[in-house]
Each structure stands twice: as C-alpha cells, then as structure tokens.
C-alpha cells in the first residue's frame, strides 16, 4: 500500500516518540512535534488506523502496529543514510543536513537506498550517532551513557547526541565537540552540576549540565 509524505512523517514521529516509552503516545505529543492542531492529528491517526499502521483509541493514545513500525524504520533508514552521504561525501556540516534529509527520506526506490548503503560501506550510525536500521529494519545495538553521568577523572569518547537541533549542534561545534572527540571530566560543580571537561587533551572548558546530559559517550 502506497504511503504519502504526510503519512510517513506521522509514522516516523510516532516511532521517535515511542523510542523512550512503553506507553501509548498522546495526540498532544504528536501535535507538538508536527506543529499541527490536535484535531488535525486525530483525523490523521484515524486514517493511519484504517490502513492498519497504528492502533489508536481516542483519549488513550496511539501505538504503531508491526506494519507501521516497518514503514517508520524504512523512513528512518533513508533519512539517516542520506545524512551520512551529505556529511561524508558532500561536505555538509552535521547541523545542516536534517532538513535536506527530510526531503530525501521520501524517495521510494529501495534499490537506490540499498546501493547508497553499500556505497557508504554500510554505516551503523548517522553523523549524530543515531543507529541506522539495516535493510531488514534491524537496528544495531548501541550502549552509550550521558556525559552528565560520568564521574570526575574519567575518560570517554563522544559517540552521539540526544538532541540534534541545529542550534545545539552549532554550540557543540563552537566548543570543538564532535563525534570521536576524546573527553576527560576534570571537575563537577556540586551547585549546578556543570562540568569542566578537557576536549582532545586541550585546556578544560565548562559545559552546563543541560548540554552534558544531551551528549552521548562511551567510556575508554
């Protein structure tokens, strides 16, 4: 069954919201991310339910069906592969690619996407550290922690971000924080939980707790 751009966007957003909870997703949560009125969201959710892509009950929320999740993962796969292509092959910065990938993710050709995956040497993550589903829709298992949870005098590597807004990514760029950067927590301020961190053995800089909790790392 063919899907429209709008339907794919809704399925992707429901999937994104479902990643962090086992509960059904509220209409208001979907409306907030789509920047759409709740009544319009309700109409779309009913249409998606009629096609068998979501389970939806008024006032109880929405959840993807297996078929809906399959479609959502396909869109996520295309989006993240295009982001890799745009950064690695086209020279875009990691804060510039989201909106372009939003347009490219609706390309229907599965053959093209599989060739793109092969051309990029089957990347496991996108430029923001998010896992890329393979052609079967299986996500690689990643085990990261938040920089805000790291103890003093511990070394780690920046593996991803929990927030990928352009403003946040631009802030990280100004701090010389990028994927693969080696970090060492020097001090944790007990008042506001801000941290002093050395980046690639440079002089320490202070990072707020809000920033640190959105940086994903792996201890080395």
């Amino acid at each position: 069954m063919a899907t429209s751009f709008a339907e794919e966007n809704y399925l992707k957003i429901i999937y994104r919201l479902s990643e962090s909870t086992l509960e059904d997703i509220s209409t208001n949560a979907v409306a907030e991310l789509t920047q759409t009125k709740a009544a319009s969201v309700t109409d779309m959710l009913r249409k998606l339910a009629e096609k068998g892509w979501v389970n939806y009950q008024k006032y109880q929320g929405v959840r993807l069906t297996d078929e809906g999740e399959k479609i959502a993962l396909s869109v996520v796969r295309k989006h993240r592969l295009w982001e890799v292509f745009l950064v690695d092959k086209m020279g875009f910065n990691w804060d510039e690619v989201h909106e372009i990938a939003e347009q490219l993710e609706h390309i229907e050709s599965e053959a093209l996407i599989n060739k793109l995956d092969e051309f990029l040497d089957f990347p496991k993550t996108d430029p923001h550290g998010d896992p890329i589903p393979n052609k079967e829709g299986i996500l690689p298992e990643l085990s990261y922690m938040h920089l805000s949870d790291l103890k003093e005098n511990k070394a780690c590597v920046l593996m991803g971000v929990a927030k990928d807004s352009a403003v946040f990514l631009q802030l990280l760029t100004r701090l010389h924080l990028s994927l693969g950067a080696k970090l060492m927590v020097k001090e944790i301020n007990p008042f506001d939980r801000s941290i002093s961190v050395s980046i690639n053995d440079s002089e320490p800089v202070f990072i707020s707790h809000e920033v640190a909790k959105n940086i994903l790392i792996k201890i080395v």
Side-chain angles (χ1 to χ4, degrees):
M1 188 183 301
T3 53
S4 69
F5 284 18
E7 289 168 341
E8 290 184 350
N9 284 335
Y10 269 82
L11 293 173
K12 183 182 69 172
I13 284 170
I14 295 167
Y15 172 79
R16 176 179 167 187
L17 291 167
S18 300
E19 287 182 294
S20 57
T21 180
L22 296 176
E23 302 295 327
D24 286 354
I25 306 305
S26 71
T27 301
N28 287 338
V30 178
E32 183 177 350
L33 280 188
T34 57
Q35 298 182 327
T36 306
K37 293 181 180 179
S40 298
V41 171
T42 298
D43 289 342
M44 175 59 82
L45 295 181
R46 286 174 177 159
K47 292 176 183 177
L48 296 176
E50 289 172 1
K51 293 186 175 184
W53 295 334
V54 302
N55 291 317
Y56 170 68
Q57 292 187 24
K58 193 174 182 180
Y59 306 123
Q60 295 186 28
V62 63
R63 174 68 54 175
L64 293 174
T65 63
D66 289 345
E67 185 61 27
E69 183 174 284
K70 180 180 177 181
I71 296 169
L73 283 167
S74 174
V75 178
V76 168
R77 168 176 162 80
K78 289 184 281 186
H79 183 102
R80 293 176 180 174
L81 283 172
W82 283 120
E83 286 194 335
V84 175
F85 174 78
L86 290 167
V87 170
D88 289 1
K89 305 301 181 182
M90 299 295 290
F92 284 89
N93 295 325
W94 67 342
D95 60 285
E96 298 176 317
V97 295
H98 179 73
E99 290 186 2
I100 303 173
E102 287 273 296
Q103 301 170 51
L104 293 169
E105 69 186 22
H106 300 291
I107 290 174
E108 293 184 11
S109 174
E110 187 175 336
L112 171 62
I113 299 306
N114 289 338
K115 285 289 187 181
L116 177 65
D117 193 15
E118 181 181 1
F119 175 68
L120 297 171
D121 198 24
F122 306 103
K124 301 296 185 202
T125 60
D126 72 8
H128 312 114
D130 294 318
I132 300 175
N134 64 17
K135 63 182 179 181
E136 284 79 34
I138 299 172
L139 287 159
E141 291 188 15
L142 305 176
S143 181
Y144 301 153
M145 62 184 294
H146 299 269
L147 180 60
S148 56
D149 295 328
L150 202 62
K151 304 298 183 184
E152 289 182 355
N153 299 314
K154 289 287 187 180
C156 63
V157 174
L158 198 159
M159 301 299 295
V161 292
K163 182 180 292 186
D164 61 2
S165 69
V167 173
F168 180 66
L169 296 174
Q170 288 162 9
L171 170 62
L172 297 190
T173 299
R174 289 196 297 272
L175 293 170
H176 304 291
L177 285 166
S178 58
L179 296 192
K182 295 179 182 179
L183 312 178
M184 171 71 79
V185 174
K186 298 293 188 179
E187 180 185 353
I188 301 174
N189 188 310
F191 174 69
D192 62 2
R193 303 297 295 169
S194 61
I195 66 172
S196 172
V197 58
S198 172
I199 304 166
N200 293 324
D201 299 319
S202 64
E203 286 296 312
V205 296
F206 274 97
I207 296 176
S208 72
H209 179 73
E210 182 67 23
V211 169
K213 76 178 185 180
N214 283 292
I215 293 175
L216 305 177
I217 54 94
K218 180 174 68 175
I219 295 175
V220 293

